[in-house]
Amino acid sequence: MCPQCGTRHDDWDHGGPDEEDAYAVTVQLCIGCQVIADRQQTLARDKGEDTHGLKVALIPAAHAAAIETEREHRATRRRHGD
């Protein structure tokens, strides 16, 4: 089985006129994948340095807001010496 597409060699027509392929090709747009690719491209362009190993992932907006609030809280505590 191909690790990338998940099909088996025998699933495909190997020249037999009466055999149909088990799969058809379709093109779909995934907005999530598009957003990730856009951010990866921006990071590579703007960082000006190696971005290998840098991961871009989607998380729920509420989770991202909670992370940002926690970061701001910690920064405020550090500024006030708490």
Side-chain angles (χ1 to χ4, degrees):
M1 182 185 316
C2 174
Q4 185 170 344
C5 72
T7 66
R8 292 175 179 18
H9 181 74
D10 292 340
D11 291 339
W12 297 96
D13 180 4
H14 300 288
D18 297 330
E19 295 181 34
E20 271 189 46
D21 291 334
Y23 300 93
V25 176
T26 184
V27 177
Q28 297 176 323
L29 173 63
C30 172
I31 301 301
C33 291
Q34 183 180 27
V35 169
I36 288 171
D38 288 348
R39 180 54 63 95
Q40 288 170 327
Q41 186 177 34
T42 299
L43 286 170
R45 182 186 66 235
D46 293 349
K47 250 181 143 349
E49 59 188 58
D50 188 14
T51 58
H52 285 85
L54 190 61
K55 304 292 184 203
V56 177
L58 299 175
I59 61 173
H63 190 182
I67 291 170
E68 184 61 28
T69 299
E70 179 63 23
R71 283 184 187 147
E72 290 171 1
H73 179 68
R74 287 183 183 165
T76 300
R77 286 178 39 200
R78 272 183 264 156
R79 282 195 301 267
H80 294 330
D82 294 337

